[in-house]
Amino acid sequence: MGQWIEVCATGDIDEEDVMRFDHGGQTFAIYRSPDDRFYATDGLCTHEKVHLADGLVMDNIIECPKHNGRFDYRNGAAKGAPACVNLKTYPVKVEAGKVLIDTGA
Amino acid sequence: MTEASMVIVGGGKAGARAAVAFRENAWKGRVTLISDEALAPYDRPPLSKAAIMDEAEPQPVYLLDEGMMASLEVNFLRGSAATGIDRDAKTVSLADGTKIPYDRLLIATGAEPRRLSQTGAERALLLRDLADSAEIRRKFIDGKSVAIIGGGFIGLELAASAAKRGCRVTVIEAQPRVLMRGVPPEIATRIAARHAEAGVAILTSASIAQIGLDKILLSDGREIPADIVIAGIGAAPRIKLAEQAGLALDNGIACNTYLQTSDPHIFAVGDCCSFPHPVFGNERLRLEAWRNASDQAIVAVENMLGGQKPYEAVPWFWTDQYELNLQIAGLPQRGVSIVERVPKENALILCHLDGDGRLVGASGIGPGNSIARDIRLLEMLIGKKAAPGPALLADPAFQLKSLLKP
């Protein structure tokens, strides 16, 4: 286990939306689901390294803005070509109105 | 009795996606992919961009490599030109005389670049495959003069790539502006201005009299320096096989809404076929587009396996030039009025509405991925035949996504 890193306030991300978070030379995508839970994945699409935070969140799916590769952001599962490699996910917790992630670093 | 067999002719994006789709649909019989290229199917969008600009020697970006084909049990016939279809015997013949039996056949032969007809046309390089791209890359040497004939997507992408490599670039366009086909003038103006900033000269309403050894002579007498000449004047569907087999043609291989040709055992997808589009009053379209190629492959395969799924994906195109990304969804030319939406600074989206206020197209330009999310949402609204109010479309704070919710 690494350290919990503070990302933002819960209100900084709309429901069913995504935000980019850069930390320690890495880029992450932080999601807030329609049922108001928070998730975190690697920030770049596994297909062509595009920032997923520019993409569209629909229900539990993040769609890459470049080639529409789709992933379930809750578990990182790639949902078909051109996205074939799963996204890495990270533990998230909410404490005192703040979103924190464990980058494993 | 032979095993049931699905045969795909054409090893581009559409053919490769179809091969995978058969297995995704749990098809257990044979899948044969016939490609006249020596390489396994690779992605073409980088050929005019990264493959030319990147410092490192370009490597093919495989859509379906040997390992994937082996695990999917796809019988890949490389370097094999399909030369004929016997519709009665249901076989495809190859150049070496082999006959491949099919139960269903998918034609995904793509398109090929049109050639110039002027004197000296043989000097003009064309871009379609990886070898073409590699040759262009070798010739784009710092300080060389490059003349690109045609201000469409390919021509402008190559112009940006040539400028990046330090060439002196002139784009020669016969029409009064670049991107005449399908891109609204407000968007085309922005891309043209960006080219000018990069030092690319764009000549419009210019016609070519002759291509010389190191220059191009225009009809009005002007001479354009041209160590390298490239023609990007559009592509023609590769229909020879279909034509010889007597399939119905109409701006490419004529398909119905199920992507089935006039022979019920033969389907066609991608750049080589035309089809009626249900979202746009069944207007017959032929699209030369990356996403269309794979979306059509997915639908055609389902129908080849007995499905009845109409193809109704909204047309979508993109191009990247410099830091700019340009996207078109739907058919902007069917619109009669435009609502501007500015999602971010330096980004512009045009929403194209028809006479009934229905959203029929969206076009946009902006740095990086600044327009991607809104264009994607507008594309979905176009597919739903939505008629959102102009005031909502124009308000960048308004979440387009809310219009998609029940």
Side-chain angles (χ1 to χ4, degrees), chain B residues 246-330:
Chain B
L247 298 177
L249 304 174
D250 183 354
N251 181 26
I253 304 168
C255 289
N256 63 17
T257 192
Y258 308 111
L259 303 172
Q260 191 174 35
T261 69
S262 54
D263 180 327
H265 297 98
I266 304 178
F267 292 68
V269 288
D271 297 13
C272 69
C273 80
S274 71
F275 60 98
H277 204 303
V279 176
F280 304 102
N282 289 320
E283 180 177 335
R284 183 162 285 275
L285 305 178
R286 185 177 70 81
L287 302 174
E288 294 168 5
W290 182 88
R291 200 167 82 192
N292 175 67
S294 54
D295 286 350
Q296 285 196 328
I298 292 165
V299 170
V301 163
E302 208 176 305
N303 293 334
M304 290 170 79
L305 296 174
Q308 284 276 304
K309 190 172 183 179
Y311 180 71
E312 49 197 7
V314 171
W316 179 78
F317 301 81
W318 94 90
T319 174
D320 292 320
Q321 295 165 36
Y322 311 100
E323 74 289 354
L324 294 176
N325 169 245
L326 185 164
Q327 297 190 17
I328 307 281

Side-chain angles (χ1 to χ4, degrees), chain B residues 80-114:
Chain B
S80 302
T83 53
I85 301 169
D86 182 334
R87 289 166 52 190
D88 295 324
K90 289 207 270 175
T91 58
V92 176
S93 5
L94 305 183
D96 67 4
T98 314
K99 288 189 193 304
I100 313 283
Y102 66 81
D103 290 274
R104 295 286 182 279
L105 173 66
L106 183 65
I107 304 180
T109 42
E112 59 198 8
R114 293 183 201 278

Side-chain angles (χ1 to χ4, degrees), chain A residues 14-19 34 47-48 50-59 62-68 70 80-82 84, chain B residues 13 17 20 24 43 45-46 61 68 290-291 316 318-320 325 327 344 368-370 372-373 376-377 379-380 399 401 404-405:
Chain A
D14 289 337
E15 278 186 17
E16 201 180 35
D17 207 348
V18 58
M19 192 183 86
H47 174 230
E48 283 192 9
V50 172
H51 281 285
L52 290 167
D54 290 326
L56 179 64
V57 177
M58 292 291 268
D59 297 326
I62 175 71
E63 186 182 75
C64 174
K66 202 73 195 177
H67 302 119
N68 313 125
R70 294 182 185 97
C84 303
Chain B
K13 172 90 179 157
R17 188 67 189 84
V20 176
E24 287 171 345
D43 218 9
V61 178
M68 288 160 75
W290 182 88
R291 200 167 82 192
W316 179 78
W318 94 90
T319 174
D320 292 320
N325 169 245
Q327 297 190 17
K344 283 173 192 158
N369 291 312
S370 55
R373 194 187 291 194
R376 180 75 175 110
L377 289 163
E379 177 204 322
M380 291 189 225
Q399 296 287 333
K401 199 196 274 179
L404 290 161
K405 301 284 176 187

